Amino acid sequence: MAMRARTALKILTIAAAVAVTYVKIWRPWELTWGATPDEVSRPLPGDDLVTRPTFNATERYPSMRHRSRSGRGWSR
């Protein structure tokens, strides 16, 4: 029975380490991925629609920066 308890303790320790790493390192990076420090700190369109947000996320995806060859908008 002691072997099962040690195995369970190892699994719980690893799960706790993964959870802490996610919350402290991965999630903050994920919420601002691809955004410049200026984009993260300034108000963005639509911020006034939610008066008390539960969290802040500013992400910029490469596909959002796509422009047509003319530079005037999305290409088909």
Side-chain angles (χ1 to χ4, degrees):
M1 191 62 142
M3 183 72 149
R4 281 188 174 175
R6 276 188 263 155
T7 302
L9 183 60
K10 286 179 185 179
I11 290 171
L12 287 174
T13 302
I14 291 169
V18 168
V20 168
T21 301
Y22 176 77
V23 169
K24 294 288 187 178
I25 296 172
W26 184 263
R27 185 70 176 154
W29 173 82
E30 185 181 36
L31 290 174
T32 59
W33 178 78
T36 64
D38 179 53
E39 291 170 329
V40 172
S41 63
R42 72 175 182 207
L44 296 173
D47 283 353
D48 57 328
L49 299 175
V50 180
T51 55
R52 294 186 329 182
T54 57
F55 70 95
N56 295 319
T58 303
E59 300 180 33
R60 185 188 329 165
Y61 297 97
S63 62
M64 293 176 72
R65 289 184 247 154
H66 178 74
R67 296 277 188 174
S68 66
R69 289 187 184 155
S70 66
R72 291 178 288 193
W74 296 93
S75 62
R76 289 189 176 222

